[in-house]
Amino acid sequence: MDFKQIGAAAASESDHLNDGDCLKLYVVASADNITAASVFQCFQAELDKRGVKANVIATGSFGYYDLEPLVLVDKPGKSTILYHNVTPETAAELVNDYLINDNPRPDMALGSTGRDEIDDITSISALPLFNLQNRIALRNCGYIDPENINHYILCGKGYGGLSRAMLMGQSDVIEEINKSGLRGRGGAGYPVAEKWKLCRDAEGSPKWVICNAVDTDPQALTARLILEGDPHSVLEGMLIGAYAVGASRCVICVNADYIAAIKRLDKALEQMREYSLLGDNILGSNFSCEIEIKEVPSSLVAGEETALIRCLEGKQAMPYVRPPYPAVSGLYEEPTLINNLETMANVSAIFQNDAEWYAAFGTEQSRGAKIITLAGDVVHKYTVEVTFGTTLKSIIDAIGGGVSNGKKIKAVQFGGPTGAYFAADSLDIRLDYESVREAGSIIGSGTVEVFDSDSCAVEMTRDVISYLQTQSCGKCVFCREGSYQMSDILQDIADGKGEPKDLDMLTELGEAMKIGCICSLGRTLPNPVLSSMRLFDSDYAVHIKEKRCPSNGQLSPVD
Ligand code: SF4
């Protein structure tokens, strides 16, 4: 089958998607939302009972977890209305009130989208949650049935990107990536085109593509959101990468406990095979490629590409010193292209549009957008995607709804567990690779963890270091012993057993780890310690000199 035939097959299978006269309801929720399945069934039963013809479609999540289940109602001739926190009871009311009696129930609506305004319902374009976002990797999440390849093909120009790439030829594909300015979303922001060139030019066969789709930061839910909501965007990106570097084998690594995501990936691969998008002679060409799913345990070190390779080889997940880079000698010592799933979802978007379209977003050196997960003491713990250059403050205030319980911000840790802290007066920082690096932190997993004014810097740093210590693979002394000692010292300070010289020791350990560790986990591990000592030295002083915690005034255990 060529791409035209696939498009025609998808249209004949799912013609209702582009039919403006067809009533459609989308039930939007994470796979673990237990109410969503009942809402879905209730809509179907109620519509049947009332004789209303409609298509009810279950989608993945938008990432707005506390508003789910959300329901998008696309009624012919009307603007689409988005309802939040729908229950089986309110689903039945919506069928009666809006679908039959044309009362749009503004009291249940979050917003509307479309040309016509609906009385008493705000347009979602006026809501910061929507207008501050630029959903590129998340473009289809919440809008398509992730278990139906036809939805991906019809609603998001799906696999049109692969078709376009294959018409361009290998070198032009890499040049297109280069022009787009895409940088790897795995954390370090390495230019994607450079990596692809290195792998294309490497000797060896077969070549591999590995997609790291593991959520290694326990607070970041990026992989789960994309794999549950739009697995094909990642798989298409992987095939484009494989075509560009001349690889014939691909592996997508997923958290072993992401049951729904794995099930949807399995189904996606099956459907791709039916449409000649996998296996021999993809789209009728001489390009052949296979993709397999590998379940891997979730650990921070699995985010390191060389550790992931070792894990896939059945060895202990321990990073190794580069060079040689995986692009030259990776899985089974063959050339291996590794990118994470957010990168791959951006790749498919670039080819479904073009490099100029993509390069128009973001800053001079950080093009496109970044997926961010809000966590900690913030009202809305959403996963969103914002253009590079958006400030940390606007994400927390406008999207996250500010600090919970109306308190003030004490600190924000950005980039995941090894990111640095920012004080409340420095949240105007723009999120792009350069600004964040200059401020001493990392883009990392994109997690924004907010700590309210009741937090103690010593305790929050102790907690994160005690977690990080468990994530060290133990290969290098600086990381293994350094994280252990840091954790011990911080616990002592928190318990009122600290001494002034402990601060010097923490600094010394941190500086040594930054240069002595072989992987970025160990090299960035001191970030929270060094930044919290710099920003909140008075918290450390109170614990050490006054033997009490500044946040609650309690005497520490030794007193
Ligand atoms: S820095 Fe830490 S996690 Fe990385 S290889 Fe060394 S011991 Fe392992």
Side-chain angles (χ1 to χ4, degrees):
M1 281 174 117
D2 61 22
F3 183 64
K4 213 167 157 193
Q5 290 167 323
I6 289 173
S12 77
E13 289 285 319
S14 301
D15 59 344
H16 62 279
L17 290 177
N18 291 331
D19 180 357
D21 293 331
C22 176
L23 170 61
K24 295 179 274 290
L25 287 91
Y26 298 80
V27 179
V28 182
S30 299
D32 62 358
N33 186 306
I34 47 172
T35 313
S38 323
V39 167
F40 184 87
Q41 284 161 6
C42 179
F43 270 125
Q44 285 191 316
E46 201 64 24
L47 289 162
D48 263 3
K49 195 169 84 187
R50 310 292 293 262
V52 180
K53 199 167 172 306
N55 277 283
V56 187
I57 298 158
T59 77
S61 172
F62 280 133
Y64 317 147
Y65 311 109
D66 65 6
L67 296 172
E68 293 176 353
L70 285 148
V71 174
L72 270 165
V73 180
D74 184 2
K75 200 173 171 183
K78 306 269 185 186
S79 288
T80 302
I81 304 179
L82 183 57
Y83 295 95
H84 63 97
N85 302 105
V86 178
T87 62
E89 293 72 33
T90 54
E93 285 179 37
L94 277 176
V95 171
N96 181 67
D97 295 351
Y98 184 40
L99 302 186
I100 294 175
N101 292 310
D102 219 21
N103 168 7
R105 290 296 303 266
D107 56 315
M108 290 161 57
L110 180 67
S112 69
T113 169
R115 275 183 317 187
D116 302 324
E117 286 188 10
I118 300 176
D119 284 347
D120 301 322
I121 298 182
T122 316
S123 165
I124 62 168
S125 60
L127 302 173
L129 174 59
F130 295 87
N131 64 28
L132 258 185
Q133 285 199 70
N134 181 8
R135 293 169 75 96
I136 298 175
L138 298 180
R139 60 195 178 277
N140 294 322
C141 292
Y143 293 106
I144 63 169
D145 176 355
E147 299 195 20
N148 188 335
I149 192 171
N150 297 327
H151 284 225
Y152 181 67
I153 291 168
L154 295 175
C155 300
K157 305 183 208 166
Y159 291 103
L162 174 66
S163 168
R164 179 170 164 251
M166 288 170 62
L167 290 172
M168 292 168 84
Q170 278 182 310
S171 296
D172 285 352
V173 168
I174 296 179
E175 184 48 31
E176 184 80 347
I177 289 288
N178 186 37
K179 278 196 283 184
S180 74
L182 178 65
R183 297 171 66 167
R185 297 293 192 266
Y190 192 74
V192 172
E194 294 299 315
K195 209 184 226 188
W196 287 28
K197 255 187 241 164
L198 198 61
C199 191
R200 179 200 59 192
D201 296 341
E203 300 279 334
S205 174
K207 289 183 182 176
W208 295 82
V209 169
I210 297 175
C211 175
N212 188 350
V214 184
D215 277 329
T216 52
D217 169 359
Q219 310 227 58
L221 304 172
T222 308
R224 196 182 83 175
L225 184 61
I226 297 183
L227 295 179
E228 283 185 8
D230 187 21
H232 287 287
S233 63
V234 179
L235 298 170
E236 184 179 4
M238 290 173 70
L239 285 181
I240 294 170
Y243 172 77
V245 302
S248 56
R249 307 283 301 272
C250 298
V251 181
I252 180 162
C253 302
V254 194
N255 298 63
D257 56 347
Y258 281 6
I259 309 298
I262 292 166
K263 182 175 149 255
R264 287 176 186 177
L265 268 176
D266 260 330
K267 195 156 193 172
L269 294 180
E270 199 181 297
Q271 294 173 344
M272 286 169 74
R273 206 172 290 284
E274 284 165 16
Y275 274 166
S276 305
L277 289 163
L278 201 60
D280 292 337
N281 307 111
I282 289 173
L283 293 176
S285 72
N286 56 8
F287 168 50
S288 301
C289 193
E290 291 291 344
I291 300 179
E292 59 184 304
I293 304 165
K294 285 279 183 196
E295 298 170 29
V296 300
S298 168
S299 67
L300 262 190
V301 80
E304 292 294 324
E305 54 185 30
T306 55
L308 190 59
I309 286 172
R310 288 288 180 259
C311 182
L312 291 176
E313 290 173 341
K315 299 171 186 158
Q316 195 176 346
M318 274 187 172
Y320 57 85
V321 182
R322 296 166 294 182
Y325 291 98
V328 175
S329 175
L331 189 60
Y332 308 119
E333 297 182 4
E334 303 293 357
T336 304
L337 176 70
I338 304 192
N339 284 124
N340 88 341
L341 96 162
E342 188 179 343
T343 309
M344 291 303 192
N346 274 283
V347 167
S348 54
I350 289 167
F351 284 88
Q352 286 165 11
N353 296 279
D354 59 38
E356 287 73 25
W357 164 82
Y358 189 81
F361 303 121
T363 64
E364 186 63 29
Q365 294 184 66
S366 301
R367 305 288 188 184
K370 176 77 192 92
I371 298 176
I372 301 289
T373 300
L374 285 151
D377 301 323
V378 66
V379 176
H380 303 299
K381 296 177 178 65
Y382 293 156
T383 301
V384 295
E385 189 172 9
V386 295
T387 305
F388 277 117
T390 306
T391 66
L392 203 45
K393 186 170 170 40
S394 59
I395 295 170
I396 295 166
D397 290 346
I399 294 179
V403 185
S404 3
N405 303 320
K407 292 181 184 160
K408 290 199 162 55
I409 291 180
K410 163 119 180 188
V412 173
Q413 187 180 24
F414 178 69
T418 62
Y421 294 108
F422 292 85
D425 60 2
S426 59
L427 301 181
D428 281 330
I429 180 171
R430 296 188 332 162
L431 294 189
D432 60 64
Y433 288 102
E434 285 63 43
S435 307
V436 170
R437 192 176 50 230
E438 273 165 32
S441 194
I442 51 170
I443 289 284
S445 64
T447 299
V448 174
E449 182 164 11
V450 176
F451 293 87
D452 70 26
S453 45
D454 288 348
S455 309
C456 165
V458 172
E459 291 183 346
M460 64 201 200
T461 310
R462 173 204 57 192
D463 292 347
V464 76
I465 295 299
S466 111
Y467 161 71
L468 288 171
Q469 189 220 328
T470 66
Q471 300 298 300
S472 166
C473 78
K475 182 168 182 166
C476 20
V477 177
F478 281 112
C479 177
R480 186 182 66 232
E481 297 302 323
S483 61
Y484 178 82
Q485 285 195 36
M486 275 183 164
S487 180
D488 245 20
I489 293 170
L490 287 162
Q491 186 63 57
D492 277 353
I493 296 174
D495 288 347
K497 295 186 236 164
E499 298 174 36
K501 67 178 169 48
D502 289 340
L503 301 179
D504 296 332
M505 179 56 89
L506 285 173
T507 306
E508 210 176 303
L509 283 168
E511 295 302 336
M513 288 173 74
K514 283 206 286 190
I515 49 172
C517 291
I518 71 167
C519 85
S520 65
L521 171 53
R523 287 196 296 266
T524 55
L525 192 146
N527 283 340
V529 180
L530 299 177
S531 58
S532 75
M533 287 200 300
R534 189 180 69 248
L535 296 171
F536 307 109
D537 54 345
S538 60
D539 284 15
Y540 284 83
V542 172
H543 268 278
I544 291 171
K545 290 181 190 154
E546 300 174 29
K547 308 295 180 197
R548 66 179 178 87
C549 178
S551 68
N552 56 26
Q554 296 296 309
L555 291 175
S556 52
V558 291
D559 291 320

